[in-house]
Amino acid sequence: MPEPIEDFYAVIPAGGIGSRLWPLSRADAPKFLHDLTGSGSSLLRDTWNRLEPLTGGDRIAVVTGRAHRAAVEKELPDIPDHNVFLESEPRDSTAAIGLAAAILVRREPDVIIGSFAADHVIRVPHLFEWAVRQAVAVAREGYICTIGIQPAEPSIGFGYIKKASELIVDGAPEAALVERFVEKPDLETAKEYFAERSYLWNAGMFISRADVLLGEIAEQDPHLYAGLMDLAEAWDDREKRGPVVDRVWPTLTKIAIDYAVAEPAAEKGRLAVIPGHFDWDDVGDFASLAKLNSHGRKNDLAILGENARILSDASSGIVVSQTQRVISLIGVKDIVVVDTEDALLVTTSEHAQRVKGVVDALKLTGRGDVL
Amino acid sequence: MPEPIEDFYAVIPAGGIGSRLWPLSRADAPKFLHDLTGSGSSLLRDTWNRLEPLTGGDRIAVVTGRAHRAAVEKELPDIPDHNVFLESEPRDSTAAIGLAAAILVRREPDVIIGSFAADHVIRVPHLFEWAVRQAVAVAREGYICTIGIQPAEPSIGFGYIKKASELIVDGAPEAALVERFVEKPDLETAKEYFAERSYLWNAGMFISRADVLLGEIAEQDPHLYAGLMDLAEAWDDREKRGPVVDRVWPTLTKIAIDYAVAEPAAEKGRLAVIPGHFDWDDVGDFASLAKLNSHGRKNDLAILGENARILSDASSGIVVSQTQRVISLIGVKDIVVVDTEDALLVTTSEHAQRVKGVVDALKLTGRGDVL
């Protein structure tokens, strides 16, 4: 077993519900608490297991909502109390990761932090480790470093990172500077990117010195930076923390770290990238969940649910069974059926992205009890 | 209000489960116990209500399985005890209707009986009454008389009755002899039938003197006839009935009345027909249930279920909701979703006829608990 990286701390923002996976994912059972791969453990636990060899179990922090504290601690029984950072309400990823950075840098001024989503799926852990070790080496040089996934196909579902010139860093033979970020492309463009090999999928992983990250936030949004500093100063003092959180947290700018930190840093030549050669998926909707669970076979109905009782002639799509009910499918193609105790979803892979719209409509029509 | 017909007795065979409507219809909740039209009452009750003006409430007999006795009596609280004829096991329609005929003819030698399925849907009751009154007039002349439905479209889902020459019977201006019965045709043939106007849908309604019907059974199947006689002789004697039923019932020939009585009678020129001008449907599968509940509009998702909570962009098909669950449909067409406590069916109108195959498969695979 390789040793953990001494000056490294992992941060897992565990915030998003995953509305595109409703009614499986929902407020009290967000995506990161589900086993979406049949691994037997939740995505959050899988994330922890992936990071632990790199950090040790006492150097992984989780940023999550107060409502999920108990569930997170159940999934991660070994997490030290002082590494669970509770948000009083969601303020997007810059606030979440910035809070962690601000707290950790006070505890350990030279700390390098890496943020990794709680609800992504990664296979081939040793390739992930290799990428992170390179990224930490790059971060040690003062860069913000992301890990971009070497595309497995011309996907239109992800944003892209365009690599620029190589970066010579000891221990990071694959390092390069980032030229720019690109939003989700159309299929034609995605095919060009795929052919060109210098475009990587943006998987939202950022590794940097905590002080460098905070410096970037300070440049872009001094108000947000000041708020994070106030929070961090009070954080490890039980008496002080509450009032400061109540006062400051609701005022923090709601902005994704891609916009607040990564893109501006890229423009200034301060963002590096390590290509990741591992299988990665953000499991953004039921179509990708179906693909993930069809084991590479094209004509295969994916089935998720330990006690699924299914009778089907469907050769594609996915059934998620959270009840004991017999589910029978006849003559349907690329179907998506999600069967939970209080809600049922029937759609197709093609329309999987529209599930979020249902969630919005349920809110509007007063049926939020099933969200 | 017109008077009931003095010498007339209605018989309702309430036997079939309606497997093509699984998981709505099932062993302990057969089709005839469901409200499939949103009328607020079961098909059985609707059938009773339709017949009562023709017979009075004390002259309607129901032939049903022992398991359904309580449910039938709940639906029909006014039915006299001696008019509930219980089958110890299903032996098809000739045994069921023949038993009723044999019992009733002993009580009332000149009785005319009419058999009407418990699970069909009929609209415009006064046209139904008019057809039955004509049929009774024909039956009084010694014919077996059926009511054939004037087709509303070239259906391939029903068998047909070919009318022959007119029959001059007082009180039955539309009577005709039957030339022959035809099995479900292909579409081309159905179109010809529809254009020709002399083909009627076989709705399985038979009206005749009880003794004439029994005579026909005696000619075709003396063994079955003898069994029915033995049963009828013992029936109204509480002590005798049990042992005779146990001995005789299991030996009765299993045969549909169409084959045992109607077709042979047609060949011998003893079968007459009255055209029915009312809306009729046997609700044979979910496609026809969808049609029945779409209120004539082509682009309309039919919804069955008092407490249905549905969010859908589907413009056709049907949702049957027997639970409190929110059902969300996105981007599916002609969909059939049947949501019950222990079983869920997802199919399309096109494949609705294949539901029976699922029922068979569930039996074979040991999941009969949901049938």
Side-chain angles (χ1 to χ4, degrees), chain A residues 43-122:
Chain A
L43 295 183
L44 174 62
R45 180 74 221 183
D46 289 343
T47 304
W48 173 282
N49 290 347
R50 226 166 17 240
L51 292 167
E52 203 183 7
L54 291 161
T55 59
D58 53 351
R59 292 174 70 85
I60 303 173
V62 174
V63 191
T64 195
R66 285 178 181 167
H68 300 132
R69 177 185 193 156
V72 164
E73 290 178 347
K74 197 179 157 211
E75 286 299 303
L76 311 175
D78 294 335
I79 193 167
D81 222 33
H82 64 266
N83 279 351
V84 181
F85 304 153
L86 296 178
E87 303 171 298
S88 51
E89 54 165 0
R91 305 291 307 169
D92 217 325
S93 54
T94 309
I97 297 165
L99 173 68
I103 296 169
L104 294 173
V105 81
R106 288 181 68 89
R107 295 187 191 162
E108 200 172 315
D110 291 326
V111 71
I112 291 170
I113 64 166
S115 65
F116 304 93
D119 55 7
H120 292 178
V121 169
I122 286 173

Side-chain angles (χ1 to χ4, degrees), chain B residues 181-193:
Chain B
F181 282 76
V182 191
E183 300 280 338
K184 296 177 184 177
D186 59 26
L187 187 61
E188 206 50 46
T189 313
K191 283 179 178 168
E192 284 169 29
Y193 291 174

